[in-house]
mmCIF file of all heavy atoms in Angstrom:
data_model
loop_
_atom_site.group_PDB
_atom_site.id
_atom_site.type_symbol
_atom_site.label_atom_id
_atom_site.label_comp_id
_atom_site.label_asym_id
_atom_site.label_seq_id
_atom_site.Cartn_x
_atom_site.Cartn_y
_atom_site.Cartn_z
ATOM 1 N N THR A 400 -1.747 22.964 21.376
ATOM 2 C CA THR A 400 -2.719 24.010 21.033
ATOM 3 C C THR A 400 -3.935 23.389 20.366
ATOM 4 O O THR A 400 -3.792 22.553 19.469
ATOM 5 C CB THR A 400 -2.071 25.014 20.049
ATOM 6 O OG1 THR A 400 -0.939 25.616 20.688
ATOM 7 C CG2 THR A 400 -3.043 26.101 19.638
ATOM 8 N N ILE A 401 -5.121 23.804 20.806
ATOM 9 C CA ILE A 401 -6.355 23.418 20.114
ATOM 10 C C ILE A 401 -6.789 24.603 19.250
ATOM 11 O O ILE A 401 -7.031 25.701 19.765
ATOM 12 C CB ILE A 401 -7.467 23.023 21.110
ATOM 13 C CG1 ILE A 401 -7.025 21.800 21.934
ATOM 14 C CG2 ILE A 401 -8.770 22.741 20.369
ATOM 15 C CD1 ILE A 401 -8.042 21.359 22.980
ATOM 16 N N LEU A 402 -6.827 24.380 17.938
ATOM 17 C CA LEU A 402 -7.264 25.423 17.006
ATOM 18 C C LEU A 402 -8.788 25.497 17.046
ATOM 19 O O LEU A 402 -9.471 24.496 16.807
ATOM 20 C CB LEU A 402 -6.789 25.088 15.588
ATOM 21 C CG LEU A 402 -5.285 24.830 15.417
ATOM 22 C CD1 LEU A 402 -4.980 24.344 13.994
ATOM 23 C CD2 LEU A 402 -4.477 26.080 15.736
ATOM 24 N N CYS A 403 -9.330 26.673 17.360
ATOM 25 C CA CYS A 403 -10.782 26.852 17.468
ATOM 26 C C CYS A 403 -11.311 27.370 16.144
ATOM 27 O O CYS A 403 -10.973 28.489 15.738
ATOM 28 C CB CYS A 403 -11.115 27.827 18.590
ATOM 29 S SG CYS A 403 -10.566 27.250 20.208
ATOM 30 N N VAL A 404 -12.116 26.540 15.481
ATOM 31 C CA VAL A 404 -12.583 26.899 14.140
ATOM 32 C C VAL A 404 -14.087 27.172 14.083
ATOM 33 O O VAL A 404 -14.612 27.477 13.026
ATOM 34 C CB VAL A 404 -12.225 25.795 13.105
ATOM 35 C CG1 VAL A 404 -10.726 25.595 13.035
ATOM 36 C CG2 VAL A 404 -12.929 24.483 13.445
ATOM 37 N N GLY A 405 -14.797 27.049 15.209
ATOM 38 C CA GLY A 405 -16.258 27.194 15.171
ATOM 39 C C GLY A 405 -16.702 28.634 15.107
ATOM 40 O O GLY A 405 -15.901 29.558 15.216
ATOM 41 N N ASP A 406 -18.018 28.846 14.942
ATOM 42 C CA ASP A 406 -18.533 30.207 15.063
ATOM 43 C C ASP A 406 -19.829 30.218 15.871
ATOM 44 O O ASP A 406 -20.657 31.097 15.733
ATOM 45 C CB ASP A 406 -18.725 30.859 13.688
ATOM 46 C CG ASP A 406 -19.725 30.088 12.841
ATOM 47 O OD1 ASP A 406 -20.219 29.048 13.328
ATOM 48 O OD2 ASP A 406 -20.010 30.528 11.716
ATOM 49 N N GLY A 407 -19.983 29.201 16.727
ATOM 50 C CA GLY A 407 -21.184 29.116 17.567
ATOM 51 C C GLY A 407 -21.121 30.086 18.738
ATOM 52 O O GLY A 407 -20.225 30.923 18.824
ATOM 53 N N ASP A 408 -22.097 29.950 19.654
ATOM 54 C CA ASP A 408 -22.151 30.856 20.804
ATOM 55 C C ASP A 408 -21.428 30.285 22.010
ATOM 56 O O ASP A 408 -21.413 30.914 23.066
ATOM 57 C CB ASP A 408 -23.614 31.140 21.185
ATOM 58 C CG ASP A 408 -24.283 32.010 20.138
ATOM 59 O OD1 ASP A 408 -23.562 32.836 19.540
ATOM 60 O OD2 ASP A 408 -25.507 31.850 19.914
ATOM 61 N N ASP A 409 -20.872 29.107 21.887
ATOM 62 C CA ASP A 409 -20.189 28.522 23.048
ATOM 63 C C ASP A 409 -18.772 29.095 23.174
ATOM 64 O O ASP A 409 -18.376 29.985 22.423
ATOM 65 C CB ASP A 409 -20.188 26.986 22.950
ATOM 66 C CG ASP A 409 -19.312 26.475 21.812
ATOM 67 O OD1 ASP A 409 -18.758 27.295 21.056
ATOM 68 O OD2 ASP A 409 -19.191 25.244 21.685
ATOM 69 N N LEU A 410 -18.014 28.581 24.140
ATOM 70 C CA LEU A 410 -16.681 29.120 24.424
ATOM 71 C C LEU A 410 -15.769 29.073 23.200
ATOM 72 O O LEU A 410 -15.116 30.058 22.849
ATOM 73 C CB LEU A 410 -16.057 28.334 25.591
ATOM 74 C CG LEU A 410 -14.617 28.675 25.947
ATOM 75 C CD1 LEU A 410 -14.480 30.114 26.413
ATOM 76 C CD2 LEU A 410 -14.102 27.729 27.041
ATOM 77 N N VAL A 411 -15.757 27.912 22.516
ATOM 78 C CA VAL A 411 -14.869 27.754 21.355
ATOM 79 C C VAL A 411 -15.262 28.723 20.238
ATOM 80 O O VAL A 411 -14.406 29.401 19.643
ATOM 81 C CB VAL A 411 -14.889 26.282 20.870
ATOM 82 C CG1 VAL A 411 -14.307 26.138 19.478
ATOM 83 C CG2 VAL A 411 -14.109 25.406 21.867
ATOM 84 N N GLY A 412 -16.575 28.837 19.981
ATOM 85 C CA GLY A 412 -17.049 29.749 18.937
ATOM 86 C C GLY A 412 -16.773 31.204 19.286
ATOM 87 O O GLY A 412 -16.392 32.011 18.426
ATOM 88 N N THR A 413 -16.939 31.545 20.577
ATOM 89 C CA THR A 413 -16.700 32.925 21.015
ATOM 90 C C THR A 413 -15.237 33.304 20.838
ATOM 91 O O THR A 413 -14.918 34.395 20.338
ATOM 92 C CB THR A 413 -17.111 33.089 22.500
ATOM 93 O OG1 THR A 413 -18.480 32.699 22.622
ATOM 94 C CG2 THR A 413 -16.937 34.516 22.973
ATOM 95 N N LEU A 414 -14.330 32.407 21.233
ATOM 96 C CA LEU A 414 -12.895 32.679 21.057
ATOM 97 C C LEU A 414 -12.579 32.865 19.575
ATOM 98 O O LEU A 414 -11.854 33.792 19.191
ATOM 99 C CB LEU A 414 -12.062 31.526 21.628
ATOM 100 C CG LEU A 414 -12.115 31.329 23.147
ATOM 101 C CD1 LEU A 414 -11.436 30.009 23.527
ATOM 102 C CD2 LEU A 414 -11.442 32.483 23.888
ATOM 103 N N ALA A 415 -13.139 31.975 18.725
ATOM 104 C CA ALA A 415 -12.843 32.026 17.298
ATOM 105 C C ALA A 415 -13.368 33.336 16.694
ATOM 106 O O ALA A 415 -12.673 33.998 15.926
ATOM 107 C CB ALA A 415 -13.468 30.825 16.593
ATOM 108 N N ARG A 416 -14.580 33.708 17.075
ATOM 109 C CA ARG A 416 -15.200 34.901 16.497
ATOM 110 C C ARG A 416 -14.499 36.173 16.968
ATOM 111 O O ARG A 416 -14.269 37.089 16.201
ATOM 112 C CB ARG A 416 -16.686 34.918 16.888
ATOM 113 C CG ARG A 416 -17.580 35.601 15.891
ATOM 114 C CD ARG A 416 -19.056 35.455 16.232
ATOM 115 N NE ARG A 416 -19.321 35.512 17.644
ATOM 116 C CZ ARG A 416 -19.732 34.480 18.382
ATOM 117 N NH1 ARG A 416 -19.929 33.309 17.838
ATOM 118 N NH2 ARG A 416 -19.960 34.633 19.679
ATOM 119 N N ARG A 417 -14.176 36.212 18.268
ATOM 120 C CA ARG A 417 -13.571 37.439 18.820
ATOM 121 C C ARG A 417 -12.054 37.467 18.647
ATOM 122 O O ARG A 417 -11.405 38.423 19.019
ATOM 123 C CB ARG A 417 -13.944 37.579 20.298
ATOM 124 C CG ARG A 417 -15.459 37.775 20.501
ATOM 125 C CD ARG A 417 -15.778 38.504 21.784
ATOM 126 N NE ARG A 417 -14.830 39.588 22.022
ATOM 127 C CZ ARG A 417 -14.203 39.806 23.164
ATOM 128 N NH1 ARG A 417 -14.402 39.017 24.193
ATOM 129 N NH2 ARG A 417 -13.372 40.816 23.286
ATOM 130 N N ARG A 418 -11.486 36.411 18.094
ATOM 131 C CA ARG A 418 -10.037 36.329 17.850
ATOM 132 C C ARG A 418 -9.247 36.489 19.148
ATOM 133 O O ARG A 418 -8.207 37.149 19.198
ATOM 134 C CB ARG A 418 -9.585 37.389 16.818
ATOM 135 C CG ARG A 418 -10.382 37.379 15.533
ATOM 136 C CD ARG A 418 -10.144 36.159 14.710
ATOM 137 N NE ARG A 418 -8.867 36.147 13.999
ATOM 138 C CZ ARG A 418 -8.390 35.068 13.370
ATOM 139 N NH1 ARG A 418 -9.066 33.925 13.386
ATOM 140 N NH2 ARG A 418 -7.245 35.131 12.751
ATOM 141 N N VAL A 419 -9.764 35.862 20.214
ATOM 142 C CA VAL A 419 -9.098 35.887 21.516
ATOM 143 C C VAL A 419 -8.615 34.474 21.820
ATOM 144 O O VAL A 419 -9.353 33.508 21.649
ATOM 145 C CB VAL A 419 -10.063 36.378 22.619
ATOM 146 C CG1 VAL A 419 -9.454 36.188 24.006
ATOM 147 C CG2 VAL A 419 -10.414 37.845 22.396
ATOM 148 N N GLN A 420 -7.374 34.337 22.270
ATOM 149 C CA GLN A 420 -6.871 33.018 22.628
ATOM 150 C C GLN A 420 -7.001 32.796 24.130
ATOM 151 O O GLN A 420 -7.072 33.751 24.900
ATOM 152 C CB GLN A 420 -5.424 32.849 22.185
ATOM 153 C CG GLN A 420 -4.431 33.706 22.933
ATOM 154 C CD GLN A 420 -3.084 33.730 22.221
ATOM 155 O OE1 GLN A 420 -2.949 34.276 21.118
ATOM 156 N NE2 GLN A 420 -2.089 33.136 22.836
ATOM 157 N N LEU A 421 -7.087 31.520 24.519
ATOM 158 C CA LEU A 421 -7.199 31.190 25.937
ATOM 159 C C LEU A 421 -6.046 30.268 26.302
ATOM 160 O O LEU A 421 -5.954 29.148 25.800
ATOM 161 C CB LEU A 421 -8.564 30.526 26.210
ATOM 162 C CG LEU A 421 -8.913 30.275 27.680
ATOM 163 C CD1 LEU A 421 -10.426 30.359 27.871
ATOM 164 C CD2 LEU A 421 -8.424 28.917 28.159
ATOM 165 N N GLY A 422 -5.135 30.785 27.126
ATOM 166 C CA GLY A 422 -3.988 30.003 27.550
ATOM 167 C C GLY A 422 -4.098 29.627 29.009
ATOM 168 O O GLY A 422 -5.010 30.072 29.715
ATOM 169 N N SER A 423 -3.173 28.817 29.461
ATOM 170 C CA SER A 423 -3.233 28.346 30.841
ATOM 171 C C SER A 423 -1.836 27.959 31.288
ATOM 172 O O SER A 423 -0.942 27.745 30.476
ATOM 173 C CB SER A 423 -4.168 27.140 30.952
ATOM 174 O OG SER A 423 -3.709 26.095 30.109
ATOM 175 N N SER A 424 -1.650 27.873 32.590
ATOM 176 C CA SER A 424 -0.355 27.444 33.110
ATOM 177 C C SER A 424 -0.524 26.979 34.536
ATOM 178 O O SER A 424 -1.481 27.328 35.206
ATOM 179 C CB SER A 424 0.650 28.598 33.073
ATOM 180 O OG SER A 424 0.237 29.652 33.912
#
Side-chain angles (χ1 to χ4, degrees):
T400 299
I401 298 178
L402 306 173
C403 298
V404 300
D406 61 358
D408 289 328
D409 68 356
L410 175 63
V411 164
T413 303
L414 293 170
R416 209 173 37 249
R417 296 206 40 228
R418 308 291 284 170
V419 171
Q420 68 194 67
L421 187 149
S423 59
S424 63

